[in-house]
């Protein structure tokens, strides 16, 4: 398995897998399989896949450490860009199907509805991370500053869950919110536990606490 992770075909395979949800949505839209409200189905589906991709990104480091597979780190950037890709599709679906690309109406809706505002804030932060995900940006910012900036993904995860929670609150349907919330809490909790454990491992449990990727 670890040999495959280093194989030149591994990234192309992952790229194709990450495009499968979009392929299905395009096919379902073309063949009228999105239900009675195709527009709402597309908005919801792109949002769901954004959240799933975000969970995958957050799972890379725990999986890399637990399975002793440092090779997994080479896929994190691609997965992160797919989070942004599906978030962009989610925003475009909302802007098109719900708002007809009326910029003034979209601006009013963002200001009026908290769950839209939170989702838009998460998208803005994702845009910043996507724009600085390349080697040139890493060199320009410096490794430490770049890492500090990209820890914003933890805040993005919280905003995404809050956006999902408020969106489902209108229908009093929190089952999926609880599932994703528990998963993200576990992934972030693992990082916190490892961060604290690294600090205690130092002589006397003092000194600067090691950072967790």
């Amino acid at each position: 398995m670890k040999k495959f992770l280093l194989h030149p075909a591994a990234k192309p395979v992952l790229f194709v897998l990450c495009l499968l949800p979009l392929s299905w949505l395009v096919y379902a839209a073309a063949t009228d399989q999105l239900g009675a409200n195709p527009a709402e189905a597309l908005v919801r589906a792109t949002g769901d896949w954004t959240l799933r991709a975000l969970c995958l990104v957050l799972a890379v480091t725990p999986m890399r450490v637990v399975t002793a597979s440092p090779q997994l780190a080479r896929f994190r950037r691609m997965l992160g860009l797919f989070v942004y890709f599906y978030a962009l599709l989610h925003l475009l679906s909302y802007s098109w199907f719900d708002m007809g690309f009326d910029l003034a109406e979209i601006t009013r809706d963002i200001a009026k509805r908290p769950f839209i505002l939170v989702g838009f804030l998460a998208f803005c932060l994702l845009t910043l991370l996507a724009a600085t995900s390349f080697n040139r940006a890493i060199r320009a910012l410096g490794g430490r500053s770049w890492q500090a900036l990209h820890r914003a993904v933890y805040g993005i995860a919280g905003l995404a869950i809050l956006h999902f929670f408020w969106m489902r609150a209108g229908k009093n349907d929190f089952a999926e919110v609880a599932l994703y919330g528990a998963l993200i809490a576990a992934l972030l909790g693992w990082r916190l536990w490892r961060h604290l454990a690294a600090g205690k491992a130092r002589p006397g449990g003092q000194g600067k606490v090691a950072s967790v990727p």
Side-chain angles (χ1 to χ4, degrees), residues 157-206:
L159 290 172
I161 288 297
L162 183 58
H163 171 71
F164 196 28
F165 172 82
W166 271 340
M167 187 270 289
R168 287 296 179 89
K171 296 184 178 180
N172 199 31
D173 180 7
F174 300 110
E176 285 186 271
V177 179
L179 177 62
Y180 284 111
L183 179 56
I184 287 177
L187 293 170
L188 298 185
W190 179 89
R191 284 170 166 79
L192 178 60
W193 168 78
R194 189 163 177 256
H195 182 79
L196 296 175
K200 291 181 180 179
R202 292 177 179 273
Q206 298 178 355

Side-chain angles (χ1 to χ4, degrees), residues 49-89:
W49 282 108
T50 301
L51 194 52
R52 290 163 189 161
L54 180 59
C55 289
L56 283 176
V57 169
L58 293 174
V60 168
T61 295
M63 289 176 62
R64 175 175 61 81
V65 173
V66 171
T67 64
S69 302
Q71 303 89 344
L72 285 170
R74 65 193 292 256
F75 304 107
R76 185 164 46 198
R77 182 185 303 183
M78 183 187 295
L79 289 171
L81 289 173
F82 267 105
V83 174
Y84 182 70
F85 174 69
Y86 280 106
L88 180 60
L89 290 179

Side-chain angles (χ1 to χ4, degrees), residues 116-191:
I116 301 291
L117 176 61
V118 165
F120 184 69
L121 177 58
F123 176 78
C124 290
L125 291 173
L126 275 173
T127 300
L128 180 60
L129 298 194
T132 58
S133 64
F134 303 99
N135 292 335
R136 183 175 296 180
I138 297 172
R139 289 193 296 268
L141 291 170
R144 183 166 296 183
S145 296
W146 183 87
Q147 285 187 344
L149 173 63
H150 279 251
R151 288 194 184 98
V153 69
Y154 307 148
I156 290 169
L159 290 172
I161 288 297
L162 183 58
H163 171 71
F164 196 28
F165 172 82
W166 271 340
M167 187 270 289
R168 287 296 179 89
K171 296 184 178 180
N172 199 31
D173 180 7
F174 300 110
E176 285 186 271
V177 179
L179 177 62
Y180 284 111
L183 179 56
I184 287 177
L187 293 170
L188 298 185
W190 179 89
R191 284 170 166 79

Side-chain angles (χ1 to χ4, degrees), residues 27-44:
Y27 171 78
T31 56
D32 197 23
Q33 297 186 45
L34 290 176
N37 192 338
E40 182 181 5
L42 285 171
V43 174
R44 293 283 182 88

